[in-house]
Amino acid sequence: MLCAALPLLWLPLAGAAATEEPTREPGSPGEPPPGLALFRWQWHEVEAPYLVALWILVASLAKIVFHLSRKVTSLVPESCLLILLGLVLGGIVLAVAKKAEYQLEPGTFFLFLLPPIVLDSGYFMPSRLFFDNLGAILTYAVVGTLWNAFTTGAALWGLQQAGLVAPRVQASLLDFLLFGSLISAVDPVAVLAVFEEVHVNDTLFIIVFGESLLNDAVTVVLYKVCNSFVEMGSANVQATDYLKGVASLFVVSLGGAAVGLVFAFLLALTTRFTKRVRIIEPLLVFLLAYAAYLTAEMASLSAILAVTMCGLGCKKYVEANISHKSRTAVKYTMKTLASCAETVIFMLLGISAVDSSKWAWDSGLVLGTLFFILFFRALGVVLQTWVLNQFRLVPLDKIDQVVMSYGGLRGAVAFALVILLDKTKVPAKDYFVATTIVVVFFTVIVQGLTIKPLVKWLKVKRSEHHKPTLNQELHEHTFDHILAAVEDVVGHHGYHYWRDRWEQFDKKYLSQLLMRRSAYRIRDQIWDVYYRLNIRDAISFVDQGGHILSSTGLTLPSMPSRNSMAETSVTNLLRESGSGACLDLQVIDTVRSGRDREDAVMHHLLCGGLYKPRRRYKASCSRHFISEDAQERQDKEVFQQNMKRRLESFKSTKHNICFTKSKPRPRKTSRKKKDGLANTEATNGKPPRNLSVQDTAAVILTVESEEEEESDSSETEKEDDEGIIFVARATSEVLQEVKVSGSLEVCPSPRIIPPSPTCAEKELPWKSGQGDLAVYVSSETTKIVPVDMQTGWNQSISSLESLASPPCTQAPTVTRLPPCPLAAEEPQHPFNLPYDPRPSFAFPPSLAKAGRSRSESSADIPQQQELQPLMGYEDRTHLSPGTANSHWCIQFNKGSRL
Amino acid sequence: MGNEASYPTEMCSHFNHDEIKRLSKRFKKLDLDCSGSLSVDEFLSLPELRQNPLVQRVIDVFDTDGNGEVDFEEFVVGTSQFSVRGDEEQKLRFAFSIYDMDKDGYISNGELFQVLKMMVRNNLQDWQLQQIVDKTIIILDRDGDGRISFEEFSAVVGNLEVHKKLVVTV
């Protein structure tokens, strides 16, 4: 919107551009040959958009430069810096082009630069806060602005009458009132730019900011009325015109708000039906909001009010309707546009000030105006606050009033309005322009610079930026209901009564109409907050990189007892064995998402078949790093793996339980599914998987020079995979399978896992992970989850992270595996065999007991004992007593099982 | 009944005479059967009150002696907690007792669940709500006893500037 539109700004400026451009683009050929040109320079065709883009680029680069230094930006508001930059640039342009160019054109400003800023502020306005303080905001916006305009205008006129303003300023009372009306309005752009950096408390901010937005209607009306009076000549103004002026105040403000609400309704309704064309959702938001602005502008209603209302009104429904990605897109685009527009506005303001031809200086007028706007603003605020405090339940104190008076910044709106004045009708226009520029500069630079120290010095209550907590949301809901109930009981129809009524209405009709049914159903604020909190927890959980990956991973800071534990991989191991009994930890584990399961699955896939490329990679990558030691270990590992595989293939063929599913034999797979495994999508997604596995196998063969046949190895590899996958399956199946196969198992090899799901099932955890999660979580199998996960994370955390993608990408990822996970894993290799088995042995004791033969569980125990001493030490040092106990408890259990 | 002079003013120190007079008028209006106390049915005769999910809880909290009816004294004392002049502790207590259904001084998991259930009605599934309740309790519960004492409650909720929010003009 902005980029496409800005050309208007530059159109009249072709001349200057032509003189300036060559310096910017050296190497342009002088005269193109008359014939076929290999290279033609067509500046004029792209001139306008090019210049716009260039200016925005300059502004953005300036922003980047400003923010390089924290010190500067923390002291000086960005708006000041931009204005100063504008002054410098304006000077350069003036020096180069010999005339002032690139000024802030009122048309561009009102049609293109202002709307994004207003939309952004309206859309992201904290609506609850806004409506809570609506009374105060409206008072300041309407009464305050009227007061400011009339008193400033009248006082200036008095100044002129007293002879303090030079007589060359030819202005009547009406002219002064006109000037007063345009200079009195607090500017939303300037206020936003300064106050966003100051962080005063929310109430104060919303009052000042809300006022600056809503006073637009008053400003527009006053300006138009005064302007038309001036143009009519004061002698021709009838009494009815005054009445019309008053009436137009209502028409303009209420009309603007109505236009905004109508478009908000349309917008919400449209987004209800965008389910299949998600891609245009963000566009719709911008288009309709802009349409609201233009419509209001067209009807000479308050456009700012229209867009504010549109943003405010539609947000709830739009946010519910559009997809998550669209929401992000809307948010970022809006912020980008607004910030871009703001930057350009301040820069152009600076540039415009350089043009001395447009303005004429009069010290009396300038100083008088400066004094009056500050004085009357302060006086107005004090008077209104006194009146308001009679009604407000939470009164505004003195310090708030000081900040409110001082925060009355003037900005680009005033400047654009003063430029719009007709010089033939207002002879003193040049003086007014000069005064406006000075006022704007003074308020933005001086007040903008000093407001931060002032706020600090007065100890104004800052806003603590805390994220919405579940408690806050819950209790505020409760408070609302309580208050509404008590208001009803005492029969006082106050604010809460009406809010309650509105919410009833909204719930009954509006939301039903404007929200997608699915969105409406799941729409509940409490749940929203809960969901967001969970996501945040999950993100921080992932950010911590699995260091605290056991159950504490999802605990909250406010859970001191569990928090204090330092989680090492060894304690994780411990936890693993303890997870069957450690009940209260389980409670949290059950909240685990399907993602964890995916991780676990991925891990098993990895450590099963894909370890060798890693080795090779390392050897080639950091040659000097690899020692004979590593080589030795590698060989050992290869040997172990091979043995394992052979055993498995032997067993699988013998017992006919594990399904062989190499590509050449797909039929066999389906045939062998007679064990009653629920395998409906057996052949889905199989080819890619097979391929990847075989690839890996091939690599293995070449590198390690294994003597196994390729087909054999690939086959076993796959079985490996699937066997491991099994771990993450739902209970009933697990049980079944354990029963089927457990008794047949002879060898305690870790890889021998009860009959495996088919390839399709391998896919399942990824594809339908969310789907069957509920079953998974609710049943007893939950006990498996932490175990898998912990082992997985312990072994190769980073490799898991790099693999959080669909299974098909498996093989490539592995070859590219970074060396770091390897290093982390290195020390564990001696344990590889005893260690790896954990996932398969990690069934809840009950399951394990049910499924396994004596011999197997006895094989299990020495292994545990091997690890025990190590864990024991870590345990005592790092674990809280509770967990330690649970661990030992488990050990006892295991022992007794023997 | 409704003779406000019979109540010592210190009992409802947060209200001045005018406010008590207004309350008394209101009380009489609500007291349809002129029994001198308001039953739940009388409260629910107000249509807008009927839609309020927490009205039953509010009445319960008002009814300090637990006889199922709210007499004038309870009415004034109850509403006076929402006066601008009421202190923060009082308001927090009121909010707390909204949740504390069995008046044992603790909010248990089940109580929180029930109150929230009233508020969300059928917007949420029970298991969703239970998750929320669990999480809330975990956040609030400092000493790990699985329930929330008033101290734990006010430690967190006190930050919400309750004294500014829980205010009703009479």
Side-chain angles (χ1 to χ4, degrees):
Chain A
M1 183 159 74
L2 183 69
C3 296
L6 272 177
L8 286 186
L9 183 61
W10 317 112
L11 279 179
L13 313 170
T19 56
E20 199 181 83
E21 255 341 279
T23 61
R24 228 176 261 166
E25 310 282 342
S28 60
E31 295 294 313
L36 180 68
L38 277 177
F39 194 82
R40 264 178 65 198
W41 196 255
Q42 294 177 317
W43 165 247
H44 284 283
E45 283 183 22
V46 296
E47 180 186 347
Y50 203 98
L51 277 176
V52 174
L54 222 53
W55 274 114
I56 295 177
L57 182 68
V58 167
S60 312
L61 288 180
K63 246 184 163 164
I64 296 176
V65 171
F66 295 155
H67 282 277
L68 283 182
S69 158
R70 237 169 202 291
K71 224 178 197 171
V72 172
T73 41
S74 69
L75 285 176
V76 188
E78 207 181 75
S79 47
C80 299
L81 290 171
L82 282 169
I83 282 198
L84 294 177
L85 172 79
L87 279 176
V88 173
L89 284 180
I92 293 172
V93 170
L94 194 66
V96 172
K98 303 279 182 281
K99 57 177 181 167
E101 296 294 350
Y102 312 111
Q103 304 226 327
L104 188 60
E105 302 283 324
T108 322
F109 173 73
F110 281 118
L111 287 185
F112 304 114
L113 291 176
L114 194 52
I117 299 176
V118 180
L119 176 62
D120 173 66
S121 45
Y123 193 78
F124 292 109
M125 174 102 70
S127 54
R128 177 73 199 266
L129 207 58
F130 179 77
F131 286 110
D132 280 358
N133 294 291
L134 189 61
I137 291 171
L138 274 179
T139 315
Y140 290 119
V142 178
V143 181
T145 310
L146 284 174
W147 156 269
N148 281 349
F150 281 110
T151 49
T152 310
L156 283 176
W157 182 71
L159 209 62
Q160 192 204 31
Q161 296 300 304
L164 291 172
V165 175
R168 56 207 152 105
V169 183
Q170 301 166 341
S172 63
L173 176 60
L174 258 180
D175 291 337
F176 278 119
L177 284 179
L178 176 61
F179 179 62
S181 73
L182 66 87
I183 202 75
S184 63
V186 176
D187 184 69
V189 185
V191 165
L192 203 61
V194 169
F195 270 72
E196 274 198 337
E197 295 181 24
V198 178
H199 305 298
V200 293
N201 62 63
D202 292 343
T203 318
L204 197 52
F205 173 76
I206 203 73
I207 288 180
V208 176
F209 178 55
E211 176 201 342
S212 70
L213 274 180
L214 296 195
N215 68 15
D216 171 69
V218 182
T219 312
V220 168
V221 171
L222 271 183
Y223 178 79
K224 278 181 185 153
V225 168
C226 289
N227 209 6
S228 49
F229 283 180
V230 167
E231 282 172 9
M232 281 153 60
S234 52
N236 305 327
V237 179
Q238 312 284 311
T240 50
D241 290 329
Y242 291 108
L243 283 181
K244 271 188 203 157
V246 174
S248 73
L249 178 62
F250 290 97
V251 172
V252 167
S253 53
L254 296 181
V259 167
L261 290 179
V262 166
F263 275 93
F265 183 82
L266 285 179
L267 176 53
L269 199 63
T270 324
T271 52
R272 198 188 152 171
F273 302 105
T274 51
K275 195 174 176 186
R276 276 150 221 270
V277 267
R278 292 278 191 202
I279 202 76
I280 60 160
E281 278 170 347
L283 185 67
L284 275 177
V285 174
F286 290 103
L287 274 184
L288 278 166
Y290 194 47
Y293 187 91
L294 293 181
T295 312
E297 192 75 46
M298 182 178 70
S300 58
L301 302 170
S302 168
I304 291 186
L305 211 54
V307 172
T308 309
M309 281 299 159
C310 183
L312 209 61
C314 72
K315 188 182 183 195
K316 180 182 169 188
Y317 311 104
V318 168
E319 296 272 283
N321 282 339
I322 64 180
S323 71
H324 187 72
K325 279 179 188 161
S326 302
R327 233 175 289 163
T328 314
V330 166
K331 185 174 162 192
Y332 275 91
T333 319
M334 220 175 251
K335 293 274 175 212
T336 309
L337 284 179
S339 138
C340 184
E342 191 186 278
T343 311
V344 170
I345 286 175
F346 279 117
M347 204 172 68
L348 292 185
L349 259 182
I351 295 177
S352 311
V354 176
D355 178 16
S356 57
S357 66
K358 263 188 190 168
W359 49 294
W361 182 270
D362 182 79
S363 308
L365 184 67
V366 169
L367 292 179
T369 313
L370 269 183
F371 173 75
F372 287 136
I373 60 161
L374 285 175
F375 175 72
F376 286 119
R377 165 90 187 164
L379 191 63
V381 165
V382 170
L383 288 178
Q384 289 170 79
T385 312
W386 183 78
V387 175
L388 278 173
N389 275 349
Q390 308 294 312
F391 301 101
R392 274 182 78 86
L393 295 175
V394 185
L396 295 160
D397 56 17
K398 289 263 180 310
I399 290 172
D400 288 345
Q401 295 175 33
V402 171
V403 175
M404 274 162 59
S405 322
Y406 203 67
L409 306 180
R410 270 63 163 184
V413 173
F415 179 77
L417 286 177
V418 84
I419 294 285
L420 276 180
L421 287 179
D422 185 357
K423 180 138 198 213
T424 55
K425 300 280 167 35
V426 188
K429 180 190 172 186
D430 288 349
Y431 294 98
F432 288 158
V433 171
T435 314
T436 309
I437 288 176
V438 172
V439 166
V440 169
F441 274 49
F442 180 83
T443 52
V444 171
I445 295 180
V446 177
Q447 284 176 244
L449 269 176
T450 49
I451 199 162
K452 227 177 197 174
L454 183 80
V455 163
K456 231 177 246 163
W457 182 63
L458 288 175
K459 299 195 180 63
V460 177
K461 246 180 79 196
R462 305 296 194 92
S463 70
E464 318 95 44
H465 227 66
H466 47 80
K467 291 171 182 137
T469 64
L470 195 57
N471 272 292
Q472 191 179 347
E473 191 69 29
L474 284 180
H475 300 311
E476 286 188 345
H477 270 256
T478 318
F479 294 165
D480 288 346
H481 288 306
I482 296 175
L483 282 174
V486 175
E487 277 196 353
D488 289 339
V489 168
V490 300
H492 171 83
H493 286 188
Y495 167 71
H496 295 283
Y497 169 79
W498 290 110
R499 223 176 52 74
D500 204 42
R501 308 254 63 193
W502 164 254
E503 275 183 3
Q504 301 279 357
F505 172 74
D506 176 68
K507 212 177 222 163
K508 254 191 202 149
Y509 307 106
L510 269 184
S511 291
Q512 304 264 10
L513 181 66
L514 295 180
M515 278 190 204
R516 222 164 267 183
R517 197 153 301 149
S518 56
Y520 177 66
R521 217 179 301 133
I522 56 164
R523 178 94 191 157
D524 189 279
Q525 274 168 315
I526 299 177
W527 182 251
D528 257 16
V529 172
Y530 176 73
Y531 182 74
R532 253 181 290 151
L533 274 178
N534 261 0
I535 288 189
R536 209 174 68 210
D537 285 351
I539 287 173
S540 65
F541 168 74
V542 171
D543 282 348
Q544 285 158 0
H547 185 61
I548 35 169
L549 250 186
S550 54
S551 358
T552 30
L554 277 184
T555 55
L556 296 150
S558 50
M559 297 176 72
S561 59
R562 286 171 199 157
N563 238 7
S564 53
M565 284 184 272
E567 298 286 327
T568 62
S569 56
V570 182
T571 57
N572 276 337
L573 269 178
L574 241 187
R575 193 67 64 62
E576 217 170 88
S577 51
S579 62
C582 212
L583 277 177
D584 79 321
L585 294 175
Q586 296 293 315
V587 172
I588 292 157
D589 283 327
T590 55
V591 196
R592 283 282 152 81
S593 64
R595 213 198 118 109
D596 298 325
R597 209 170 115 202
E598 287 170 14
D599 284 349
V601 169
M602 231 26 243
H603 163 71
H604 294 306
L605 282 177
L606 261 183
C607 68
L610 306 170
Y611 69 106
K612 277 149 204 142
R614 245 186 270 163
R615 291 262 166 263
R616 188 182 61 150
Y617 183 76
K618 189 180 179 185
S620 65
C621 178
S622 52
R623 196 163 297 148
H624 57 280
F625 209 74
I626 225 167
S627 56
E628 291 86 5
D629 193 33
Q631 190 59 46
E632 215 173 284
R633 216 179 294 147
Q634 195 176 331
D635 290 341
K636 205 167 143 196
E637 194 186 347
V638 171
F639 174 74
Q640 286 167 346
Q641 287 277 337
N642 287 344
M643 287 311 288
K644 234 184 325 165
R645 232 177 274 140
R646 287 177 175 207
L647 272 171
E648 273 167 29
S649 62
F650 166 70
K651 263 171 15 105
S652 64
T653 43
K654 191 175 174 186
H655 299 300
N656 210 5
I657 285 159
C658 288
F659 304 32
T660 49
K661 299 166 213 80
S662 59
K663 207 169 21 178
R665 289 178 281 173
R667 202 113 321 153
K668 207 172 170 185
T669 317
S670 48
R671 230 186 303 133
K672 284 193 178 174
K673 258 179 292 157
K674 56 198 163 192
D675 284 43
L677 292 180
N679 257 327
T680 41
E681 306 131 54
T683 43
N684 275 2
K686 192 169 170 189
R689 174 162 297 267
N690 264 339
L691 263 179
S692 67
V693 172
Q694 269 175 344
D695 282 351
T696 331
V699 172
I700 295 162
L701 277 177
T702 47
V703 174
E704 318 289 358
S705 64
E706 274 179 41
E707 66 276 273
E708 275 186 17
E709 289 169 337
E710 186 175 334
S711 65
D712 189 358
S713 88
S714 72
E715 192 177 291
T716 46
E717 283 277 337
K718 258 170 279 137
E719 280 157 14
D720 240 19
D721 277 2
E722 285 148 21
I724 293 152
I725 294 287
F726 153 80
V727 174
R729 300 188 58 208
T731 349
S732 53
E733 284 176 16
V734 172
L735 253 171
Q736 241 179 15
E737 284 161 15
V738 172
K739 272 173 190 158
V740 171
S741 68
S743 55
L744 296 174
E745 276 178 317
V746 181
C747 171
S749 154
R751 298 292 158 207
I752 305 195
I753 287 158
S756 56
T758 56
C759 279
E761 273 183 303
K762 262 189 288 175
E763 297 278 339
L764 277 179
W766 305 92
K767 297 211 162 146
S768 63
Q770 255 68 353
D772 56 358
L773 178 67
V775 183
Y776 189 73
V777 161
S778 62
S779 66
E780 213 193 354
T781 343
T782 46
K783 286 167 188 167
I784 293 176
V785 182
V787 177
D788 297 344
M789 213 178 45
Q790 284 156 13
T791 323
W793 280 93
N794 283 337
Q795 281 199 333
S796 54
I797 289 142
S798 27
S799 59
L800 281 183
E801 279 173 356
S802 70
L803 273 169
S805 52
C808 325
T809 55
Q810 216 181 71
T813 324
V814 167
T815 47
R816 263 184 278 114
L817 217 68
C820 31
L822 197 56
E825 209 176 340
E826 206 88 337
Q828 290 176 357
H829 277 291
F831 294 138
N832 213 6
L833 256 184
Y835 186 74
D836 268 346
R838 311 213 124 262
S840 59
F841 285 127
F843 300 114
S846 57
L847 283 184
K849 260 186 233 167
R852 288 189 194 171
S853 63
R854 284 282 140 163
S855 65
E856 198 191 328
S857 61
S858 65
D860 185 17
I861 283 148
Q863 208 178 283
Q864 296 245 345
Q865 282 164 347
E866 240 178 74
L867 285 171
Q868 217 171 35
L870 195 67
M871 295 186 291
Y873 290 125
E874 290 294 326
D875 179 23
R876 261 165 237 138
T877 48
H878 292 297
L879 274 181
S880 76
T883 344
N885 284 343
S886 70
H887 162 64
W888 293 116
C889 194
I890 289 308
Q891 291 308 320
F892 283 132
N893 282 346
K894 298 242 173 184
S896 66
R897 229 203 294 161
L898 229 186
Chain B
M1 181 55 242
N3 179 11
E4 61 274 6
S6 66
Y7 296 99
T9 37
E10 59 265 29
M11 171 200 92
C12 31
S13 53
H14 297 313
F15 286 136
N16 58 29
H17 198 70
D18 282 350
E19 284 168 330
I20 292 187
K21 223 178 204 167
R22 244 174 286 152
L23 278 178
S24 151
K25 218 186 255 170
R26 180 68 183 170
F27 186 85
K28 274 180 207 153
K29 200 178 152 201
L30 284 173
D31 189 13
L32 296 173
D33 57 359
C34 298
S35 62
S37 59
L38 304 176
S39 66
V40 176
D41 288 339
E42 282 166 341
F43 274 113
L44 292 183
S45 63
L46 292 173
E48 61 266 20
L49 212 48
R50 231 175 287 151
Q51 290 170 347
N52 195 312
L54 289 184
V55 65
Q56 187 59 51
R57 291 300 310 139
V58 172
I59 296 172
D60 276 0
V61 176
F62 269 41
D63 178 23
T64 42
D65 60 3
N67 64 353
E69 305 231 317
V70 177
D71 62 29
F72 186 66
E73 181 176 344
E74 288 169 345
F75 185 73
V76 173
V77 170
T79 45
S80 86
Q81 297 172 40
F82 291 89
S83 156
V84 195
R85 296 176 282 273
D87 64 355
E88 188 176 351
E89 157 108 18
Q90 244 180 345
K91 293 177 198 291
L92 272 176
R93 280 264 175 222
F94 193 97
F96 182 79
S97 43
I98 288 285
Y99 293 109
D100 182 19
M101 296 175 83
D102 58 4
K103 299 183 180 164
D104 65 346
Y106 291 97
I107 303 173
S108 69
N109 193 307
E111 285 169 344
L112 188 59
F113 182 88
Q114 285 184 48
V115 174
L116 290 190
K117 184 75 188 165
M118 293 176 198
M119 274 161 53
V120 301
R121 299 232 167 92
N122 293 324
N123 279 3
L124 290 184
Q125 306 279 326
D126 277 358
W127 63 268
Q128 289 178 315
L129 198 58
Q130 190 58 52
Q131 282 186 3
I132 292 175
V133 168
D134 289 346
K135 191 147 194 163
T136 316
I137 297 250
I138 286 174
I139 294 170
L140 282 171
D141 185 18
R142 306 258 157 166
D143 58 5
D145 63 352
R147 54 187 190 169
I148 302 163
S149 66
F150 179 69
E151 284 69 36
E152 288 164 347
F153 180 79
S154 53
V156 171
V157 183
N159 297 335
L160 302 180
E161 299 194 310
V162 187
H163 58 292
K164 288 189 181 173
K165 281 173 190 153
L166 284 180
V167 171
V168 169
T169 37
V170 176

